């Protein structure tokens, strides 16, 4: 409900209220693996039956039956309720001055219930077995309450003197949040269709709870000036104070400046008819980041249950200890940005163009830095890193009309590249690594020398282990010490997308409208999930269809093995063959049609007016129905992996205006 209330000529109010309620239902993940049904469907070989001929669920893989788990293993239900409000008062005491006060509370009341049921399997003849999906039926319940209050006070002033336009803003904003959660669980349910805590065993119960509180207060101001909409100047200053830092380090100032010049307003441009608008602009600004969790400067105590050996017995005792080293002088992370750009329109505003080039430097990056192990603490968060990013972006559009046909098209393209300048001596090493000289989250692995074609060539080369043989992957010995280990890994290229683009085309004719939008990435190094290319996952897993007929085999001819795309079928040296290397990286570029919509609108019809309607629009739409990429056909290139398949959605609807 949105309400705009005019109290007097100088005073008005806004009263908004919104309520959202969401119910969710999902299957419980497999207790064996903790994985979702999508993963289970991929990994489970078809040699294991899902049901016996009598209709009972079969044992499958030692009681790991994903179909039984999906249907009988229990569900996770969730209910979230959010109440939002916004109260604003606008007061205009004098001409040009507007005072605004805003209070915007948000209340969240959420609860979850995960009921994981025990499935006891039988043999094909109906006789019982000891195999089950989990030892006990377990119920976990959670309650979470969040309260957030945003308060603002704004003073806006506008003044024009002989084509000189001035405006100013002074403001205050406070963002307070408080959350508290409660959890409880019980096991040993006799009634597996009664998901309530009191039906579980009183001897097998647990509970938990936590809370957090944070506050951010900001003062800000802005001064703007323009002359005849030709020359533009603006200056901003923001002062922030965050409760997440120690009292002496909570404050930070963030200035920004911008200037613009509308060349199309100059006299020497007036005779250039094909230029409708042309503006040059530039800016410099600083912004801060304090999203590092709550109270990293405090030596907080983590509560836990530890095992102690007393009088010949092992006894669990509750206790607490400091686990993370506290750093007092941690403060704001700062990003400084410089941007130059152009805005233009041509041919009577039918053709539009916007382009920007920018550079960003982030300093005092909040990083978890290594400390000596003998201190006995996890590594603390500190201000240490420096990250540079350079990029550009552009957008071009065209709109016109031919008779009763209106049409428009737009296209945008952007690119950015990062570079780690400093990490304070810390390295974050993994398949995607961050250290000095690398890009952010750059691929980090081995240089592959290909698939060993015979045992002799494998034995003669440096290997990760003596088990590596014909049909396995070989790697370059980059440090020339005759051994392949983690020290031979090198940077292999950025994992982040390059040349991101998107666009749309829209048509309208006599009540009909048609729209299509697309997006994609022109360059990206990607890697498939291991279950898509790795056979015998978890020692017994399925055989991926993607590698069928394309792997090295002793049953192949030498010519077939020379062109094999994948190593031999084995799980024995999976640590070697499926370690990250350039062998597994490929071009992850893609093109996707995101949405296509066709609609028809009836408006200003006598029949509609009789029933009190302004217009009615019928439409059909389809989302994600076409994708072109080098990913498997079921994989989603936008997410960069095959963990969850592409979902095509068909929609139909009606929009009614009264």
């Amino acid at each position: 409900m949105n309400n705009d209330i005019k109290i007097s000529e100088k005073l008005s109010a806004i009263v908004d209220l919104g309520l959202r309620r969401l119910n969710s239902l999902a299957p419980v993940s497999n207790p064996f693996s903790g994985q979702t049904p999508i993963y289970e469907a991929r990994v489970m070989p078809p040699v294991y039956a899902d049901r016996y001929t009598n209709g009972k669920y079969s044992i499958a893989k030692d009681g790991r039956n994903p179909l039984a788990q999906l249907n009988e293993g229990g569900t996770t239900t969730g209910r979230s309720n959010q109440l939002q409000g916004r109260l604003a008062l606008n007061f205009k005491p004098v001409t040009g001055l507007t005072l605004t006060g805003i209070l915007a509370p948000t209340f969240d009341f959420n609860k979850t219930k995960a009921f994981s049921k025990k499935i006891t399997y039988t043999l094909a003849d109906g006789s019982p077995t000891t195999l089950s999906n989990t030892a006990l039926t377990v119920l976990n319940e959670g309650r979470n309450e969040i309260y957030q209050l945003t308060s603002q006070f704004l003073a806006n002033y506008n003044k024009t003197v002989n084509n000189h336009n001035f405006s100013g803003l002074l403001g205050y904003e406070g963002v307070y949040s408080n959350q508290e959660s409660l959890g409880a669980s019980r096991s040993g349910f006799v009634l597996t269709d009664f998901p309530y805590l009191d039906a579980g065993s009183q001897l097998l119960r647990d509970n938990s709870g936590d809370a957090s509180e944070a506050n951010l207060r900001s003062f800000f101001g802005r001064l703007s000036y323009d002359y005849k909409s030709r020359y533009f100047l603006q200056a901003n200053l923001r002062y922030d104070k965050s409760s997440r830092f120690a009292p002496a380090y909570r404050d930070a100032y963030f200035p920004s400046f911008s200037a613009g010049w509308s060349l199309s307003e100059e006299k020497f441009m007036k005779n250039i008819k094909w230029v409708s608008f042309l503006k040059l602009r530039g800016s410099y600004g600083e912004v801060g980041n304090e999203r590092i969790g709550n109270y990293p400067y405090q030596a907080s105590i983590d509560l836990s249950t530890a095992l102690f050996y007393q009088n010949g017995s092992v006894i669990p005792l509750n206790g607490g200890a400091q686990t993370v080293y506290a750093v007092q002088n941690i403060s704001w992370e700062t990003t400084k940005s410089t941007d130059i750009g152009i805005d233009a329109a041509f041919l009577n505003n039918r053709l539009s163009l916007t382009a920007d080039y920018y550079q960003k430097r982030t300093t005092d990056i909040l990083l978890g830095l290594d400390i000596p192990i003998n201190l006995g603490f996890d590594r603390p968060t500190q201000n240490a890193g420096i990250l540079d990013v350079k990029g550009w972006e552009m957008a071009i559009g065209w709109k016109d009309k031919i008779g009763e046909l209106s049409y428009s098209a737009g296209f945008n393209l952007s690119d950015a590249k990062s570079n780690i300048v400093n990490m304070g001596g810390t390295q974050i090493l993994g398949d995607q690594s961050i250290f000095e000289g690398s890009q952010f989250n750059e691929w980090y692995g081995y240089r592959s020398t290909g698939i060993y074609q015979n045992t002799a060539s494998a034995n003669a080369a440096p290997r990760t282990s003596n088990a590596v043989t014909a049909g396995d992957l070989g790697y370059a010995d980059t440090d020339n010490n005759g051994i392949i280990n983690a020290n031979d890994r090198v940077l292999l290229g950025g994992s982040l997308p390059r040349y991101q683009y998107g666009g749309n085309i829209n048509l309208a004719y006599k009540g009909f409208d048609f729209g299509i939008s697309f997006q994609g990435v022109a360059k990206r190094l990607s890697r498939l999930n291991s279950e898509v290319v790795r056979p015998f996952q978890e020692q017994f897993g399925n055989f991926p269809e993607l590698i069928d007929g394309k792997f090295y085999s002793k049953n192949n001819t030498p010519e077939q093995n020379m062109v094999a795309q994948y190593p031999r079928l084995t799980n024995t040296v999976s640590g070697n063959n499926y370690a990250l290397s350039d062998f597994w990286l490929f071009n992850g570029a893609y093109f996707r049609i995101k949405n296509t919509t066709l609609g028809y609108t009836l408006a200003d019809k006598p029949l509609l007016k009789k029933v009190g309607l302004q217009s009615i629009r019928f439409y059909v739409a389809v989302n994600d129905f076409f994708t072109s990429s080098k990913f498997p056909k079921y994989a989603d290139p936008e997410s960069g992996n095959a963990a969850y398949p592409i979902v095509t959605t068909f929609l139909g609807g009606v929009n009614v205006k009264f």
Side-chain angles (χ1 to χ4, degrees):
M1 295 184 293
N2 300 320
N3 300 278
D4 297 326
I5 304 170
K6 183 178 180 180
I7 301 173
S8 68
E9 291 299 323
K10 293 186 176 183
L11 184 63
S12 63
I14 297 174
V15 181
D16 297 341
L17 184 65
L19 174 64
R20 185 191 69 180
R21 179 177 174 85
L22 176 67
N23 294 334
S24 63
L25 175 67
V28 172
S29 296
N30 197 313
F32 270 97
S33 62
Q35 295 285 354
T36 65
I38 297 296
Y39 171 86
E40 294 289 324
R42 286 212 181 105
V43 75
M44 193 63 64
V47 296
Y48 298 110
D50 55 347
R51 294 180 186 268
Y52 301 124
T53 54
N54 61 9
K56 299 289 187 178
Y57 288 112
S58 72
I59 297 173
K61 173 59 178 174
D62 301 325
R64 180 175 170 179
N65 185 329
L67 184 65
Q69 178 64 33
L70 189 63
N71 292 332
E72 308 291 340
T75 57
T76 297
T77 58
R79 292 189 178 92
S80 62
N81 303 277
Q82 185 179 81
L83 179 65
Q84 291 181 312
R86 183 172 180 264
L87 172 64
L89 287 175
N90 296 304
F91 180 54
K92 299 179 179 180
V94 296
T95 302
L97 177 62
T98 302
L99 304 178
T100 303
I102 301 173
L103 286 176
T106 301
F107 301 88
D108 287 279
F109 308 95
N110 307 317
K111 73 174 185 176
T112 59
K113 184 191 293 277
F115 197 40
S116 181
K117 297 182 181 180
K118 178 181 178 180
I119 304 173
T120 302
Y121 296 98
T122 64
L123 297 175
D125 60 5
S127 58
T129 72
T130 59
L131 294 174
S132 62
N133 65 328
T134 184
L136 296 169
T137 294
V138 181
L139 174 63
N140 286 281
E141 292 203 39
R143 301 290 187 272
N144 182 254
E145 291 189 8
I146 303 173
Y147 167 66
Q148 180 171 298
L149 176 65
T150 300
S151 55
Q152 290 181 336
F153 178 79
L154 307 173
N156 279 284
Y157 184 72
N158 298 280
K159 183 71 174 178
T160 299
V161 180
N162 298 327
N163 295 319
H164 297 274
N165 302 307
F166 302 89
S167 66
L169 167 70
L170 288 176
Y172 163 82
E173 181 180 56
V175 180
Y176 171 79
S177 62
N178 183 303
Q179 75 86 28
E180 187 169 345
S181 63
L182 178 68
S185 68
R186 281 197 185 187
S187 303
F189 284 77
V190 177
L191 303 175
T192 58
D193 292 323
F194 199 69
Y196 299 97
L197 288 172
D198 60 353
S201 170
Q202 295 191 22
L203 300 177
L204 302 172
R205 57 185 179 180
D206 196 9
N207 56 62
S208 62
D210 64 54
S212 65
E213 186 179 31
N215 203 350
L216 175 66
R217 293 180 178 177
S218 305
F219 295 90
F220 47 87
R222 181 184 70 228
L223 292 175
S224 301
Y225 165 78
D226 77 82
Y227 175 68
K228 290 186 175 181
S229 297
R230 184 183 305 169
Y231 311 111
F232 301 86
L233 293 172
Q234 183 172 292
N236 302 271
L237 181 64
R238 184 180 181 95
Y239 166 74
D240 290 317
K241 191 170 186 177
S242 172
S243 66
R244 299 188 176 192
F245 304 116
Y249 300 93
R250 289 176 175 170
D251 307 68
Y253 294 88
F254 302 105
S256 63
F257 311 92
S258 63
W261 178 22
S262 292
L263 281 78
S264 54
E265 297 299 317
E266 299 288 356
K267 292 182 179 179
F268 62 82
M269 295 288 293
K270 294 298 183 181
N271 294 326
I272 306 177
K273 300 301 182 182
W274 55 274
V275 177
S276 306
F277 178 74
L278 181 61
K279 181 180 181 180
L280 301 178
R281 48 184 168 75
S283 65
Y284 168 83
E286 299 180 11
V287 294
N289 172 34
E290 44 93 46
R291 296 186 295 273
I292 56 168
N294 294 318
Y295 332 125
Y297 67 93
Q298 292 183 335
S300 59
I301 301 300
D302 293 321
L303 303 177
S304 63
T305 300
L307 298 178
F308 293 87
Y309 192 75
Q310 294 182 355
N311 300 323
S313 301
V314 177
I315 300 175
L317 295 176
N318 295 330
Q322 179 184 348
T323 60
V324 179
Y325 189 84
V327 178
Q328 282 285 321
N329 62 351
I330 188 173
S331 189
W332 288 79
E333 174 184 303
T334 303
T335 298
K336 302 176 182 179
S337 304
T338 303
D339 179 284
I340 56 173
I342 181 174
D343 300 318
F346 308 97
L347 305 176
N348 198 25
N349 290 313
R350 288 178 293 176
L351 177 64
S352 60
L353 172 69
T354 299
D356 286 85
Y357 173 80
Y358 61 87
Q359 294 183 358
K360 295 182 180 181
R361 167 161 284 201
T362 302
T363 58
D364 295 327
I365 297 177
L366 299 165
L367 295 171
L369 299 187
D370 293 330
I371 59 175
I373 297 177
N374 58 9
L375 290 180
F377 297 104
D378 291 340
R379 61 184 188 175
T381 302
Q382 301 181 50
N383 297 105
I386 299 176
L387 171 67
D388 282 348
V389 177
K390 296 181 180 180
W392 56 268
E393 53 191 29
M394 58 83 65
I396 188 170
W398 176 269
K399 61 180 180 179
D400 202 356
K401 188 174 183 179
I402 302 175
E404 296 189 53
L405 174 65
S406 299
Y407 67 96
S408 65
F411 180 77
N412 60 79
L413 177 66
S414 65
D415 183 37
K417 189 173 182 179
S418 61
N419 177 54
I420 304 295
V421 179
N422 185 283
M423 285 280 288
T426 292
Q427 294 182 332
I428 301 176
L429 301 180
D431 290 349
Q432 293 177 321
S433 298
I434 305 173
F435 56 86
E436 292 178 18
S438 76
Q439 299 178 47
F440 185 80
N441 276 354
E442 185 169 357
W443 293 116
Y444 185 65
Y446 298 102
R447 292 282 184 193
S448 173
T449 58
I451 298 175
Y452 291 122
Q453 295 299 306
N454 51 65
T455 303
S457 62
N459 293 341
R463 295 172 290 171
T464 57
S465 74
N466 291 332
V468 174
T469 186
D472 296 327
L473 292 185
Y475 302 114
D477 183 13
T478 57
D479 59 5
N480 297 313
N481 65 352
I483 302 173
I484 301 297
N485 56 26
N487 295 328
D488 292 299
R489 293 180 299 171
V490 296
L491 293 171
L492 300 174
S495 66
L496 300 180
R498 303 284 306 275
Y499 308 114
Q500 301 183 75
Y501 61 87
N504 61 81
I505 299 173
N506 295 284
L507 306 172
Y509 180 76
K510 290 186 177 181
F512 288 95
D513 62 88
F514 173 79
I516 185 170
S517 62
F518 60 89
Q519 58 94 216
V521 169
K523 180 181 179 181
R524 180 176 62 181
L525 275 177
S526 297
R527 178 196 188 188
L528 291 175
N529 294 60
S530 61
E531 62 261 26
V532 181
V533 294
R534 177 179 167 183
F536 316 134
Q537 185 94 342
E538 301 188 40
Q539 305 291 341
F540 72 92
N542 212 339
F543 180 91
E545 181 186 23
L546 183 67
I547 69 175
D548 190 17
K550 305 173 185 177
F551 55 86
Y552 180 101
S553 172
K554 64 181 181 180
N555 297 320
N556 290 343
T557 65
E559 291 75 19
Q560 288 175 319
N561 282 334
M562 285 293 294
V563 295
Q565 299 180 36
Y566 300 98
R568 66 188 175 109
L569 304 184
T570 179
N571 200 54
T572 305
V573 290
S574 59
N576 176 85
N577 288 346
Y578 300 98
L580 179 68
S581 71
D582 55 359
F583 185 89
W584 296 111
L585 298 180
F586 68 98
N587 184 4
Y590 70 91
F591 169 81
R592 163 176 283 180
I593 296 180
K594 290 291 295 183
N595 173 267
T596 301
T597 302
L598 176 64
Y600 181 72
T601 301
L602 287 169
D604 298 325
K605 302 293 183 180
L607 180 61
L608 294 179
K609 293 180 179 180
K610 287 183 179 181
V611 294
L613 299 180
Q614 292 185 16
S615 66
I616 182 169
R617 177 176 179 264
F618 304 92
Y619 69 91
V620 291
V622 57
N623 296 332
D624 296 332
F625 76 97
F626 176 80
T627 300
S628 175
S629 75
K630 292 185 178 180
F631 283 81
K633 62 181 180 180
Y634 51 82
D636 187 347
E638 191 171 352
S639 64
N641 59 53
Y644 196 83
I646 292 177
V647 176
T648 299
T649 306
F650 296 90
L651 306 169
V654 179
N655 291 334
V656 180
K657 291 185 179 181
F658 297 91

